[in-house]
């Protein structure tokens, strides 16, 4: 089996596949044309830098999409060949209760700290990237602009100690249930473990987000379904999980988020009025 291209499976595709759909910010950002008329002056150095950065980000994004497509083919083959077996969240709950099978949680800390399966072991395959080098900052900006502000999905990087940490906890013959929030990162983890010699792997299809409250014993401040949401969409209650919960809870739940939406508009209006007043004050100062 082809090995997983770990360094390339980082934040952009994974964040987008795990995020809520967000209104696009691209339409509000003016595009910079690289065409030049013979009589025009050469672009400003800053403008040239912006163009190069945009081209680099597009190349990086295209490479990530290709890597993800190749990884998906490998994962499908891995399941088809029986190297990894599929469990629903309910079946995983039965396996934990009746057979005492261990569950390996491979989610990043941003999701794990909200809710986790009782008794599960935690080794993130991708972790929140808290570095501030040039490459990381560029990815953070891209993730934010492409929907991170809406979904709250952070920039992630591969945890180079993932395999060694799992090997410290579990022998190669362990019957190991692997789970993440939506099922994508856990497939990547299964491939790593399979290539390392683990023979009894079980993948939780749909991830912990697909679990009902009665399926798995849960600890933490939120339902497992809510552990992967964040950003402005969570604050306003506009995620699929929250809308489903609102349908169950009734009007009280909906009024809470309606009040938050009104509050956002009030704050935005106040900031707009304040900016206008500052602008008038500065204009008066110049006229005097």
């Amino acid at each position: 089996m082809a090995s997983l291209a770990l360094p390339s499976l980082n934040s952009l595709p994974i964040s987008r596949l795990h995020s809520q759909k967000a209104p696009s910010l691209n339409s509000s950002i003016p595009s910079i044309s690289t065409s030049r008329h013979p009589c025009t002056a050469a672009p400003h150095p800053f403008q040239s830098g912006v163009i190069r950065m945009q081209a680099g980000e597009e190349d990086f994004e295209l490479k990530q999409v290709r890597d993800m497509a190749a990884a998906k083919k490998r994962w499908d083959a891995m399941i088809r060949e029986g190297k990894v077996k599929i469990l629903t969240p309910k079946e995983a709950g039965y396996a934990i209760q009746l057979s005492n099978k261990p569950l390996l949680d491979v989610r990043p800390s941003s999701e794990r700290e909200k809710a986790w399966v009782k008794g599960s072991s935690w080794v993130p395959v991708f972790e929140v990237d808290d570095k501030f080098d040039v490459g990381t900052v560029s990815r953070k900006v891209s993730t934010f602009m492409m929907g991170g502000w809406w979904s709250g999905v952070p920039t992630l990087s591969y945890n180079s100690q993932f395999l060694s940490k799992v090997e410290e906890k579990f022998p190669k013959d362990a019957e190991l249930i692997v789970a993440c929030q939506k099922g994508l990162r856990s497939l990547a983890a299964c491939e790593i473990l399979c290539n390392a010699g683990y023979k009894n792997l079980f993948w939780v299809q749909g991830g912990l987000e697909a679990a009902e409250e009665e399926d798995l014993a849960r600890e933490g401040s939120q339902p497992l379904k809510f552990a992967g949401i964040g950003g402005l969409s969570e604050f306003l209650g506009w995620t699929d999980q929250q809308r489903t919960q609102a349908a169950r809870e009734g009007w009280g739940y909906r009024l809470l988020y309606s009040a938050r939406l009104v509050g956002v508009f009030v704050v935005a209006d106040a900031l707009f009025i304040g900016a206008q007043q500052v602008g008038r004050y500065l204009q008066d100062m110049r006229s005097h």
Side-chain angles (χ1 to χ4, degrees):
M1 182 187 303
S3 61
L4 180 64
L6 293 174
S8 64
L9 286 177
N10 50 29
S11 60
L12 284 179
I14 294 172
S15 297
R16 291 181 192 179
L17 285 170
H18 281 245
S19 65
Q20 298 290 329
K21 292 182 180 179
S24 175
L25 290 179
N26 290 342
S27 60
S28 63
I29 301 175
S31 60
I32 300 177
S33 174
T34 59
S35 61
R36 291 177 55 192
H37 189 277
C39 296
T40 58
H44 189 278
F46 175 76
Q47 183 180 9
S48 301
V50 171
I51 295 171
R52 287 195 298 271
M53 184 178 70
Q54 288 180 337
E57 289 176 355
E58 289 174 359
D59 292 342
F60 176 75
E61 179 181 352
L62 181 60
K63 183 178 185 301
Q64 292 294 333
V65 171
R66 290 173 177 171
D67 287 344
M68 287 302 301
K72 186 179 184 302
K73 290 182 179 179
R74 298 197 304 272
W75 297 339
D76 289 342
M78 183 174 62
I79 293 173
R80 185 171 60 251
E81 295 166 6
K83 295 178 179 179
V84 175
K85 301 173 181 63
I86 297 176
L87 293 177
T88 65
K90 185 180 290 292
E91 290 170 340
Y94 287 145
I96 294 170
Q97 293 177 15
L98 303 179
S99 303
N100 202 30
K101 285 184 174 63
L103 186 143
L104 175 62
D105 185 345
V106 300
R107 297 175 301 164
S109 56
S110 58
E111 297 171 359
R112 169 79 180 189
E113 64 190 11
K114 296 179 182 178
W116 61 92
V117 176
K118 184 177 181 180
S120 61
S121 296
W122 177 55
V123 183
V125 65
F126 295 96
E127 186 53 296
V128 177
D129 197 335
D130 56 1
K131 298 189 295 296
F132 286 96
D133 54 64
V134 175
T136 301
V137 171
S138 176
R139 290 200 302 273
K140 286 179 182 290
V141 171
S142 296
T143 300
F144 181 82
M145 295 296 291
M146 295 304 296
W149 63 275
W150 176 257
S151 66
V153 175
T155 302
L156 304 175
S157 60
Y158 173 64
N159 177 13
S160 60
Q161 297 183 338
F162 171 73
L163 181 58
S164 61
K165 293 294 185 181
V166 174
E167 289 176 333
E168 290 176 5
K169 294 175 178 287
F170 303 104
K172 297 293 177 65
D173 60 350
E175 293 187 327
L176 191 57
I177 301 172
V178 185
C180 65
Q181 190 63 25
K182 291 191 176 183
L184 178 65
R185 297 166 192 150
S186 50
L187 273 177
C190 282
E191 184 177 13
I192 298 169
L193 296 174
C194 184
N195 289 342
Y198 283 85
K199 303 298 184 184
N200 300 301
L201 297 172
F202 299 84
W203 170 59
V204 180
Q205 188 175 35
L208 300 181
E209 186 171 295
E212 300 297 335
E213 277 295 295
E214 63 271 15
D215 291 342
L216 296 158
R218 188 257 306 172
E219 293 184 320
S221 60
Q222 299 184 21
L224 289 168
K225 286 180 177 292
F226 286 16
I229 63 177
L232 184 59
S233 62
E234 179 188 19
F235 179 78
L236 296 177
W238 284 358
T239 64
D240 293 338
Q241 299 89 328
Q242 289 168 306
R243 285 196 292 267
T244 300
Q245 187 71 15
R248 295 175 181 174
E249 297 288 339
W251 283 104
Y253 194 88
R254 297 174 189 176
L255 286 173
L256 170 64
Y257 291 101
S258 296
R260 289 185 178 183
L261 178 60
V262 172
V264 168
F265 280 114
V266 169
V267 171
D269 186 60
L271 291 174
F272 178 73
I273 293 174
Q276 283 185 320
Q277 291 176 342
V278 170
R280 293 194 192 100
Y281 174 77
L282 292 176
Q283 188 175 9
D284 292 341
M285 291 290 291
R286 293 192 196 100
S287 63
H288 291 301

